[in-house]
Amino acid sequence: MKKKKLSDYYEEVLFGIDSDLASEYETGIIASFNAYVLRISHNKIAIENGIIFVPEELITRKYINRYYEKSNFDLSAKDCAYMALNSVGVPPIDEMSLDSLEKTIRDVIKGITDKAYVKHVSGTVNTLCVDLTTARQIILHQDVVKKIHKQIKKAESNPIHKDSVAWRAYEFQKEKIAFLDSLDSIDSEECNNINPLTLDDKTHLMVKAIFDKLFSDFDFDKYDAYKIEMDMLYDDWNFGKRYQELYDMFHAPFYNYAFYKEFKQKDFIDELSDIVAEKLFKKLKN
């Protein structure tokens, strides 16, 4: 099987891209094409002394045209903006300005000609892209971070916020970030010595419920199960509808009676009144 250097096809690859873009982003385009070939045809290539060799019949015009097509491995400025705004600690995307952030990111991408490359969308429309590793670096760029912080400040200053699952999830994310920051000043060994419910804890819950209302046996197994479920959601940064339901339940008066039931036959005060009245009647009778 006759082989050729992959570099023999670079000129043909660049020829299919707008000449100005091909000239400005040549380094990034070649690096991107190499990565594409290594990913798609890794079992057909050979690398000798750092030079990539491919079968002569592999790189056809159809093969190159498929390379031009934007895939999930290629992230445009808009893709990077979505990635940045879908990060932990950022308000819901509806509260932010995607177009403004996209413009900032596009300016950053234009400045990294050695990593940016050109792909086609909607047929032959050119769009600048980067790989995932570069995209992660871009969303940490000082200009991008500054823009996001400015948008966060604007979103939080908005006096009108719907009590939506998305916004409450953002608030919970902020609480967890603050909690994790506070752990820096706490001994890690102390943090690891967190025990499950003790007998004293259970007694405390029982006594509190008794003082609040006469109730049935407290379902500690159910309490533990719900608490574990909420902790797992907390650890996964999943502050969605289920987490918020559990959070509200654990912070509601009487736990919304999720773990015990109030007696329906008589109110506690009525029971006590009957006992006092009976004893008072006996006293008066004597």
Side-chain angles (χ1 to χ4, degrees):
M1 182 184 296
K2 192 173 181 181
K3 294 184 177 181
K4 292 181 64 175
K5 294 179 180 178
L6 183 60
S7 57
D8 291 342
Y9 298 95
Y10 290 166
E11 186 174 344
E12 186 177 355
V13 172
L14 293 169
F15 181 77
I17 299 172
D18 178 89
S19 58
D20 290 338
L21 293 174
S23 175
E24 186 172 1
Y25 298 98
E26 178 177 349
T27 301
I29 293 169
I30 296 304
S32 167
F33 181 66
N34 287 348
Y36 176 83
V37 175
L38 291 170
R39 185 175 74 249
I40 300 300
S41 309
H42 60 89
N43 58 333
K44 297 179 181 180
I45 67 174
I47 301 177
E48 300 174 10
N49 298 321
I51 300 174
I52 302 174
F53 290 88
V54 298
E56 191 174 39
E57 69 277 8
L58 179 65
I59 310 298
T60 62
R61 189 69 240 172
K62 184 177 180 180
Y63 189 99
I64 294 175
N65 286 339
R66 281 200 304 269
Y67 160 72
Y68 290 147
E69 297 173 2
K70 184 178 179 296
S71 70
N72 293 333
F73 294 93
D74 311 307
L75 288 89
S76 65
K78 179 172 285 188
D79 296 325
C80 293
Y82 270 114
M83 183 189 302
L85 295 183
N86 281 311
S87 301
V88 170
V90 178
I93 197 167
D94 292 341
E95 303 279 347
M96 308 291 277
S97 175
L98 180 67
D99 292 341
S100 176
L101 183 61
E102 180 186 349
K103 182 179 182 300
T104 299
I105 290 176
R106 187 179 293 109
D107 291 340
V108 173
I109 292 177
K110 287 179 180 178
I112 49 175
T113 55
D114 59 329
K115 294 183 179 180
Y117 52 89
V118 180
K119 283 300 182 87
H120 290 165
V121 294
S122 301
T124 58
V125 178
N126 294 306
T127 183
L128 283 179
C129 294
V130 293
D131 60 20
L132 180 60
T133 299
T134 306
R136 287 171 174 163
Q137 296 171 350
I138 287 173
I139 64 177
L140 295 176
H141 189 280
Q142 60 179 1
D143 292 345
V144 177
V145 172
K146 184 178 179 180
K147 174 70 72 173
I148 292 174
H149 283 171
K150 184 177 180 180
Q151 291 191 16
I152 289 175
K153 187 176 181 180
K154 183 178 180 180
E156 291 188 336
S157 65
N158 186 351
I160 302 175
H161 280 303
K162 294 180 180 178
D163 188 22
S164 66
V165 170
W167 188 264
R168 289 198 70 196
Y170 165 63
E171 294 289 350
F172 282 124
Q173 287 177 359
K174 288 202 304 178
E175 287 183 16
K176 178 162 182 178
I177 291 172
F179 169 71
L180 293 177
D181 288 342
S182 71
L183 292 182
D184 292 339
S185 60
I186 301 176
D187 182 35
S188 59
E189 184 175 342
E190 179 182 342
C191 293
N192 292 328
N193 293 331
I194 300 176
N195 298 317
L197 285 172
T198 65
L199 180 58
D200 287 341
D201 294 330
K202 295 177 180 180
T203 302
H204 169 75
L205 291 170
M206 291 286 289
V207 170
K208 182 179 184 300
I210 290 173
F211 274 104
D212 290 335
K213 194 80 172 177
L214 193 65
F215 65 95
S216 64
D217 287 341
F218 199 98
D219 191 340
F220 291 109
D221 291 337
K222 186 176 180 181
Y223 181 97
D224 286 340
Y226 281 10
K227 189 68 169 63
I228 290 171
E229 182 183 359
M230 190 171 76
D231 289 344
M232 290 177 66
L233 292 171
Y234 182 84
D235 290 340
D236 291 339
W237 295 82
N238 184 356
F239 302 117
K241 184 176 181 180
R242 178 57 178 165
Y243 178 87
Q244 294 174 24
E245 288 173 351
L246 292 171
Y247 181 91
D248 289 341
M249 180 188 62
F250 276 110
H251 291 79
F254 319 120
Y255 305 105
N256 279 338
Y257 297 103
F259 310 113
Y260 61 96
K261 297 178 181 179
E262 61 178 320
F263 290 134
K264 299 297 183 182
Q265 62 272 28
K266 283 191 175 182
D267 189 88
F268 178 63
I269 300 299
D270 292 339
E271 289 259 349
L272 187 60
S273 298
D274 289 344
I275 294 172
V276 172
E278 184 180 351
K279 290 189 175 182
L280 182 60
F281 178 75
K282 288 182 179 178
K283 277 278 189 183
L284 293 173
K285 188 178 180 179
N286 292 334

